[in-house]
DNA sequence: CAAATTACTGCAAGTCAATTGCAATTAATC
DNA sequence: GATTAATTGCAATTGACTTGCAGTAATTTG
């Protein structure tokens, strides 16, 4: 089984190029965060990045500001995996086709509608063959609704 | 389009019965929270419940304790819709087939694996017909992996 | 049904993720 | 290389969520 669909291991030069393309200063910290995200096999939390980069080398507030900036520029995706904090992952440069639930939320006005179920039991059967138990899944759609710009 | 697949409007008696079935005291607050959740068309946050029930009638910590208890008993589901807080919704009494993303997370050890994409573009086309723009979706699977009890 | 036990609640204090103001520092621009 | 704009560290702050404790209400038991 393929466990990662998009391996985006950035080189230091590519990371710096990505910063420049988005009008962000090429600092050591920002470059390092990009590299950490690109090397990680799972989305990272701010405190994980803080631990990996070294608490002596940088303040946690800088990590937060950087993650917020990356998110605003669309470089990363901010996701919650059922924990009480967010994780961050690099987006592929291509079209974004990730994310999924049985809700539609307007990212502008916050309106949320519940949807009918989507049958993903076939996936769950695959997981049970891999030894997983008590599978659950979560599907969410987000977008900008017709009332919003 | 059906926007809610499972309408579970509880009566006051049904709500109290649900509490008893789960070994929870039939108090006014707990009953009211169940009714609020069952009447709502979207999952509610703790502070929304607090506002609706009335800050004079109950302390926010009681709401939190109640939501936690409901979750532990499996009465409700705790979900995050990209906001920085959780929302709560009643589960259907039947089998749970909600939830979704392109990660598998073990709820015991926290191990997270990324998965291949799942094509839900057909759904997104449906949304664009409804006037939605910039659709994104999030799919997450959770379960107990083979290394865990 | 009244006493004893157990669960629930309010209040206040605390934790932790995430944000922000300000002054010092570094990178980008000219 | 000097000026300007962005970045950073530090400290204080917000807001979601938790917890200890003492008082109160619900359940149980005789």
């Amino acid at each position: 089984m393929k466990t990662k669909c998009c391996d985006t291991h950035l080189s230091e030069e590519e990371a710096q190029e990505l910063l420049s393309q988005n009008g962000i200063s090429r600092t050591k910290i920002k470059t390092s965060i990009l590299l950490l995200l690109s090397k990680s096999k799972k989305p990272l939390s701010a405190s994980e990045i803080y631990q990996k980069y070294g608490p002596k080398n940088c303040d946690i507030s800088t990590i937060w500001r950087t993650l917020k900036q990356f998110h605003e520029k669309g470089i990363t995706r901010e996701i919650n995996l059922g924990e009480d904090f967010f994780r961050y992952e690099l987006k592929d440069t291509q079209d974004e086709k990730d994310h999924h639930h049985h809700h539609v939320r307007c990212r502008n006005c916050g309106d949320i509608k519940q949807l009918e179920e989507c049958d993903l039991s076939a996936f769950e059967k695959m997981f049970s063959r891999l030894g997983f138990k008590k599978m659950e899944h979560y599907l969410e759609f987000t977008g900008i609704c017709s009332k919003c710009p």
Side-chain angles (χ1 to χ4, degrees), chain A:
Chain A
M1 179 177 64
K2 232 171 131 197
T3 53
K4 198 171 200 296
C5 49
C6 48
D7 281 300
T8 48
H9 286 264
L10 298 176
S11 66
E12 186 155 346
E13 293 73 34
E14 289 169 330
Q16 294 186 334
E17 185 55 31
L18 186 54
L19 292 174
S20 293
Q21 284 168 1
N22 287 278
I24 302 171
S25 295
R26 303 176 165 214
T27 68
K28 194 167 192 310
I29 294 177
K30 289 174 197 261
T31 305
S32 299
I33 294 178
L34 277 183
L35 290 177
L36 281 173
L37 289 173
S38 83
K39 280 180 196 141
S40 177
K41 293 198 172 173
K42 65 172 190 181
L44 298 174
S45 67
S47 79
E48 281 175 342
I49 292 172
Y50 184 52
Q51 295 310 319
K52 283 174 191 284
Y53 188 62
K56 312 129 199 162
N57 302 325
C58 146
D59 191 81
I60 185 76
S61 69
T62 301
I63 306 276
W64 282 115
R65 272 190 274 235
T66 300
L67 290 174
K68 188 179 180 186
Q69 185 181 39
F70 285 176
H71 186 240
E72 285 167 357
K73 298 288 186 179
I75 297 174
T76 57
R77 191 181 305 115
E78 183 182 62
I79 59 182
N80 174 282
L81 298 177
E83 298 153 312
D84 62 343
F85 52 83
F86 285 99
R87 291 181 173 279
Y88 300 83
E89 64 182 3
L90 283 184
K91 280 188 184 177
D92 313 334
T93 42
Q94 37 190 308
D95 294 320
E96 283 304 315
K97 295 252 178 201
D98 294 76
H99 256 157
H100 290 202
H101 188 170
H102 54 170
H103 290 93
V104 208
R105 172 172 57 89
C106 172
R107 288 194 301 277
N108 191 76
C109 66
D111 190 33
I112 296 169
K113 291 202 192 313
Q114 286 194 325
L115 301 175
E116 293 196 59
E117 269 185 60
C118 159
D119 182 24
L120 289 164
S121 55
F123 276 93
E124 297 195 343
K125 287 199 186 92
M126 178 184 76
F127 292 124
S128 67
R129 266 182 248 121
L130 292 168
F132 269 87
K133 299 171 287 284
K134 301 178 187 172
M135 289 303 301
E136 288 187 4
H137 56 264
Y138 182 87
L139 173 59
E140 172 197 11
F141 289 91
T142 66
I144 307 296
C145 75
S146 54
K147 291 172 288 182
C148 292

